[in-house]
Amino acid sequence: MSNFIELKKDEQEVNLMPPLTWAYVGDCVYELYIRTKLINETKLKPHSLHIEAIKHVKAKAQAKTLNNIYEKLTEKEKDIVRRGRNAENHHLPKNANVQDYMYATAFEALIGYLYLTKQNDRLKEILEMNN
């Protein structure tokens, strides 16, 4: 069975996307990963699932996750992180400091980039590093 969501871009096209586009997708991929993990590992009801998921997907937690795994990244992945961190974002964080928000965006950019370039084994490896 093929994926029901099919990206019709090759790696070269993904490389030309703005890092905030990678982060936009990475945010979604990471949230789905966390939600699925919670459903697999707990018997929480929906409201409690939401409360628990927020603990993992908020900017401070994502920044910490990136810090914990950074030394295990390849040079290419570190470059993706740098580009995500330095992306000019005119959105001001509501519930996070600017530095945490920048590093969370960098983490999401990495997750999105790996997803968009179909590096699924590496994506899984990185998602499981901090858990």
Side-chain angles (χ1 to χ4, degrees):
M1 184 174 116
S2 65
N3 286 341
F4 72 98
I5 301 171
E6 181 186 356
L7 179 69
K8 297 183 178 181
K9 306 267 185 207
D10 62 24
E11 187 168 344
Q12 186 176 359
E13 290 174 293
V14 173
N15 283 327
L16 296 174
M17 290 177 179
L20 291 179
T21 300
W22 303 334
Y24 171 75
V25 172
D27 174 59
C28 209
V29 170
Y30 189 61
E31 177 119 15
L32 183 58
Y33 169 77
I34 292 298
R35 287 179 180 206
T36 304
K37 182 175 171 51
L38 289 171
I39 288 168
N40 285 339
E41 297 177 0
T42 73
K43 294 189 183 304
L44 297 172
K45 290 184 169 42
H47 179 72
S48 298
L49 285 167
H50 175 70
I51 299 300
E52 193 60 32
I54 288 170
K55 293 176 187 176
H56 298 277
V57 300
K58 65 183 179 182
K60 187 175 189 74
Q62 289 182 349
K64 184 178 178 190
T65 296
L66 178 60
N67 186 55
N68 291 344
I69 69 169
Y70 188 78
E71 291 307 315
K72 298 173 189 155
L73 301 179
T74 66
E75 289 306 312
K76 169 83 171 163
E77 291 163 350
K78 288 177 181 178
D79 185 56
I80 298 299
V81 165
R82 180 189 57 74
R83 290 178 63 191
R85 184 191 67 228
N86 293 339
E88 191 168 334
N89 191 344
H90 299 290
H91 176 79
L92 293 174
K94 273 191 301 195
N95 301 311
N97 69 46
V98 174
Q99 184 172 354
D100 282 346
Y101 192 78
M102 288 171 56
Y103 281 93
T105 301
F107 177 69
E108 291 172 347
L110 174 62
I111 299 304
Y113 181 85
L114 292 172
Y115 174 81
L116 291 168
T117 55
K118 301 177 180 82
Q119 296 181 58
N120 296 328
D121 291 340
R122 183 60 176 158
L123 174 59
K124 185 173 191 247
E125 195 177 314
I126 286 175
L127 290 171
E128 293 175 349
M129 277 182 191
N130 200 46
N131 294 305

